[in-house]
Amino acid sequence: MSRVNKVILGTRAVMANGGLIAIAGTHMVAAAARHHATQVVVCAGPYKHSPWFPFNDDRFNSLVSPDAVLPYREGDLVNNVDVISPCYDYVPPELVDIFVDSMGGHLPSYLYRLLQENYGDAKDLAWNVYDS
């Protein structure tokens, strides 16, 4: 990582606070980039911007079969361990330097403004989302 100039990431969703819901392992890559002072760029279309805030990191995650991590044919080991294989990671906005989409580049702290421009009043939208 110390020889890398930029880390470019894709994402499943961009949360209202600038955090990401991305494929498992992304948090570790972003944390390593931050440790080595490497810029983290996230490429995501405007349709991936979500008005939700990540109050509970596990709410947006799902678990998949751990067969890719620990195959079932390892019978003795499988009976002695519990393997949890999450599908996604939450990456906090502190680990992201800039978001790039079709409208240009944006800082994570500016995403709330983009959401307000695209969705209107975020307060009304948040109530509608949590009422359903």
Side-chain angles (χ1 to χ4, degrees):
M1 185 63 73
S2 62
R3 294 172 45 189
V4 174
N5 295 330
K6 282 187 179 83
V7 174
I8 301 175
L9 299 173
T11 184
R12 180 173 185 236
V14 178
M15 308 307 285
N17 68 340
L20 308 175
I21 301 295
I23 193 134
T26 306
H27 185 274
M28 185 172 32
V29 171
R34 174 64 58 190
H35 178 74
H36 289 282
T38 302
Q39 187 178 19
V40 176
V41 178
V42 176
C43 297
Y47 64 93
K48 291 191 176 188
H49 293 181
S50 170
W52 289 3
F53 285 87
F55 296 118
N56 181 2
D57 297 349
D58 294 332
R59 177 180 178 198
F60 301 104
N61 209 341
S62 59
L63 299 177
V64 294
S65 172
D67 188 45
V69 178
L70 182 66
Y72 293 115
R73 61 183 169 269
E74 303 286 336
D76 297 334
L77 188 58
V78 169
N79 294 332
N80 296 326
V81 297
D82 291 327
V83 178
I84 297 174
S85 183
C87 196
Y88 302 105
D89 270 348
Y90 172 70
V91 180
E94 297 82 30
L95 299 179
V96 177
D97 292 310
I98 193 164
F99 287 96
V100 177
D101 60 13
S102 60
M103 296 180 282
H106 312 286
L107 296 174
S109 61
Y110 185 71
L111 287 180
Y112 78 94
R113 184 77 177 133
L114 288 176
L115 287 170
Q116 190 175 24
E117 289 173 4
N118 290 332
Y119 293 109
D121 191 12
K123 188 169 44 175
D124 294 338
L125 182 64
W127 284 113
N128 291 336
V129 167
Y130 290 112
D131 285 342
S132 58

